[in-house]
Amino acid sequence: MNVAFLGTPNFAVPTLEAIAAAGHSIAAVYTQPDRPKGRGQEIAVSPVKEAALKLGLGVRQPERIRHAEPVAELAELRADVIVVVGYGQILPQAIIDLPRLGVVNVHASLLPRWRGAAPVQWSIASADTVTGVTTMMIDAGLDTGDILLQAQTPIGAEESSIELNRRLAAMGAELLIETLLLLERGECPRTPQDHAAATPARILKREDGLIDWQRSARAIFNRARGFLPWPGAWTWFRGDRFNVWKCRPVSSSEWIAGEALAPGLVHVVDKRLLAGTGHGVLELLEVQVEGRRRVNAAAFVNGTRMSGDDMLGEHA
């Protein structure tokens, strides 16, 4: 099968590699233009570009895929199918209409749940226990096209979005190969989505990571592991930004003192760093004061003179 591939992030790499390994002809790989990245603003290539070059594939990086020239280039490829995995741009109808077998997307949720840019992060932050991957036929909407195939997996009780994203990327690659096989045979099912059951997985903002200490310990924990690596979970400590890289809810049987801690109040027990929440106690396991290195709780306590009435979340 002649395939055109559109993708950008790490999540897309296993699918690109699987298409090549399955023996399909990859006419071209489209990815986002190289961008400045990091504090040094050095030009960085996308993970998909890096993988495509290793595979010896041609890479194209139009600034806007909807412009006339990229559309004409794609038409000249005469691809049987276009595969899209986290490309980062909305496709115009002119491209959607090109391939004879359609434009297939690999999406990291069980659609129609979690349509949008950050399905893995929001599934964990919202305490979902099950998720999966979906191959769908792209239409003019945002993740609204017909479902082709789905695969389901449980979400680990302590699994982060980084870990889950890696697992779903591998699952998505396998599902895409199965989808291509069925499309080629004319045997792939198509199921319209139940739009009434859709939930949005909007793109994350920096402020999404700001910890609301009135939430429960469990809710803060879910958001902290869900919003890795960005925006993470962060708060304020003595006027400085304070990142909570790893935490866990403390069970009532572990909380020796017994009494409730006020939301945001810090309590140190045997070099364990505990914080009160709206419901329950949260243990902070790995933290980082802005401008300093990331450390475990014991190292933080050893290097910080705690007052006994320190509050997290207060920004002078």
Side-chain angles (χ1 to χ4, degrees), residues 14-281:
T15 299
L16 175 62
E17 293 174 338
I19 294 170
H24 295 290
S25 174
I26 301 176
V29 173
Y30 285 76
T31 190
Q32 291 294 304
D34 302 343
R35 308 283 191 196
K37 188 176 181 181
R39 291 185 178 180
Q41 291 293 283
E42 295 182 2
I43 299 299
V45 303
S46 75
V48 162
K49 180 178 180 178
E50 188 175 350
L53 293 176
K54 288 180 180 178
L55 291 168
L57 301 171
V59 176
R60 304 180 185 185
Q61 298 176 271
E63 194 68 36
R64 292 287 181 268
I65 194 73
R66 62 175 52 252
H67 287 174
E69 186 175 348
V71 173
E73 288 178 349
L74 268 167
E76 290 175 2
L77 297 177
R78 299 188 181 279
D80 298 308
V81 65
I82 295 175
V83 174
V84 180
V85 189
Y87 177 56
Q89 295 186 35
I90 300 296
L91 302 187
Q93 193 65 46
I95 290 178
I96 295 173
D97 292 339
L98 285 176
R100 66 180 182 87
L101 295 177
V103 181
V104 177
N105 176 239
V106 179
H107 186 77
S109 80
L110 296 174
L111 291 171
R113 186 159 178 78
W114 303 126
R115 291 176 177 172
V120 176
Q121 294 92 326
W122 285 112
S123 65
I124 293 177
S126 302
D128 288 1
T129 58
V130 174
T131 188
V133 287
T134 301
T135 52
M136 57 160 279
M137 197 66 73
I138 283 183
D139 62 12
L142 178 62
D143 299 329
T144 56
D146 289 352
I147 293 168
L148 302 177
L149 300 178
Q150 292 187 317
Q152 182 173 297
T153 185
I155 299 175
E158 298 185 2
E159 193 168 22
S160 72
S161 63
I162 296 172
E163 296 162 336
L164 180 57
N165 194 75
R166 191 178 300 121
R167 287 203 301 115
L168 293 181
M171 289 177 59
E174 291 184 10
L175 196 68
L176 188 277
I177 297 305
E178 183 181 356
T179 301
L180 292 183
L181 179 63
L182 292 176
L183 281 173
E184 197 168 26
R185 293 175 177 173
E187 300 173 358
C188 195
R190 289 185 62 151
T191 306
Q193 293 189 43
D194 178 2
H195 301 303
T199 53
R202 62 169 175 79
I203 192 168
L204 291 167
K205 303 174 183 178
R206 180 178 180 273
E207 54 266 32
D208 288 320
L210 179 60
I211 297 172
D212 178 359
W213 293 102
Q214 297 294 333
R215 295 180 186 269
S216 70
R218 176 65 58 179
I220 295 171
F221 166 68
N222 287 336
R223 291 174 75 90
R225 67 192 177 102
F227 292 163
L228 288 175
W230 191 90
W234 58 277
T235 185
W236 301 102
F237 176 70
R238 298 178 181 173
D240 291 323
R241 179 167 163 148
F242 187 73
N243 296 313
V244 178
W245 288 103
K246 193 173 182 180
C247 60
R248 72 178 186 94
V250 175
S251 66
S252 56
S253 62
E254 291 181 271
W255 177 227
I256 302 171
E259 76 275 9
L261 291 178
L265 180 64
V266 180
H267 188 71
V268 178
V269 179
D270 297 330
K271 297 187 178 180
R272 293 172 65 194
L273 193 61
L274 308 175
T277 72
H279 180 74
V281 174

